[in-house]
Amino acid sequence: MSFDTPLPPYNASDPHATFLSSSCLDLLLIELVPMAHRLARELSLSDDKLDDDEQRDAVFHRLETLGYRVGQGLAERCVASSDPPLPFSSDRPRFTDTLDVIKFLCKDLWTLVFRKQIDNLKTNHRGIYVLTDNTFRPFARMSTEAGGQAVNRAQPFLWFPCGTIRGALASMGIEATVHAETSELPGATFQIKTAGAKP
């Protein structure tokens, strides 16, 4: 799968050629959060009415779970060996440690989804990794409001990528929790804590 502009000849009949419109992906990511809010409201009407915290938790769970499954699929597609080899698998040796997996996530997987690499990776070498994306693609089209409301409204848009990261790591055998935050748009920071991490 590639976001790059295909070079001639454009052979849509090639069964191994895959193209994805980046505009469609952007619009999907934009619409996921409102969809999750609508579903939470509709499901709460059939049961007891949810308070704000319960609705927020329901939206988080839905988005993070969707992202988890997408992350698993992406990692399996990128790393699994098949005939013919899929992207990243033909010349890449098996990962030897967690840092190699995180580097793969920052360079290759992030480029596949968001068309750029992570801007900064920090680690304490004890199982905690901080990934910083200074121009996080889903935030690029968001308007900023005075008073900090834009940052609060942007938080749910980080839950799907958190799930994507966690799913990709799980697919490669790393159990982790992922937390994301933004203090200024369009930047985003993702903190990954692997199982057994020491602060």
Side-chain angles (χ1 to χ4, degrees):
M1 184 181 325
S2 174
F3 287 108
D4 298 334
T5 304
L7 300 173
Y10 306 109
N11 189 357
S13 64
D14 180 7
H16 300 292
T18 55
F19 304 105
L20 177 67
S21 171
S22 62
S23 299
C24 289
L25 181 63
D26 289 345
L27 294 172
L28 175 67
L29 291 174
I30 289 169
E31 185 55 30
L32 276 176
V33 173
M35 178 208 63
H37 279 288
R38 280 193 305 272
L39 286 172
R41 274 194 307 275
E42 289 172 7
L43 293 174
S44 70
L45 292 177
S46 63
D47 299 334
D48 297 330
K49 185 143 177 131
L50 297 175
D51 64 9
D52 288 342
D53 288 338
E54 290 173 333
Q55 182 171 355
R56 178 181 154 97
D57 289 345
V59 170
F60 168 78
H61 179 70
R62 182 171 305 279
L63 290 172
E64 207 269 346
T65 303
L66 283 170
Y68 183 84
R69 181 60 195 113
V70 168
Q72 280 183 319
L74 283 172
E76 288 169 6
R77 180 172 170 84
C78 292
V79 177
S81 48
S82 65
D83 189 18
L86 295 172
F88 313 122
S89 64
S90 61
D91 59 349
R92 181 176 296 280
R94 291 272 185 219
F95 298 117
T96 56
D97 65 351
T98 305
L99 185 58
D100 288 341
V101 173
I102 299 293
K103 286 179 182 177
F104 167 78
L105 180 91
C106 293
K107 292 179 182 179
D108 299 325
L109 202 63
W110 208 258
T111 301
L112 181 67
V113 178
F114 298 113
R115 294 199 296 173
K116 65 180 284 297
Q117 293 181 5
I118 286 285
D119 294 315
N120 194 359
L121 166 64
K122 294 180 182 176
T123 181
N124 68 353
H125 297 287
R126 295 181 185 165
I128 298 177
Y129 304 88
V130 178
L131 287 59
T132 305
D133 191 340
N134 296 325
T135 53
F136 187 52
R137 190 169 170 86
F139 289 168
R141 292 193 170 100
M142 285 191 177
S143 64
T144 57
E145 301 172 10
Q149 288 300 318
V151 170
N152 292 337
R153 290 184 180 172
Q155 189 65 33
F157 290 88
L158 293 170
W159 297 337
F160 180 82
C162 282
T164 305
I165 293 169
R166 197 171 69 83
L169 292 173
S171 180
M172 292 183 266
I174 298 171
E175 186 179 334
T177 60
V178 181
H179 175 73
E181 61 185 26
T182 182
S183 57
E184 185 178 341
L185 296 178
T189 303
F190 298 87
Q191 183 178 24
I192 302 170
K193 289 184 181 179
T194 59
K198 299 171 189 156

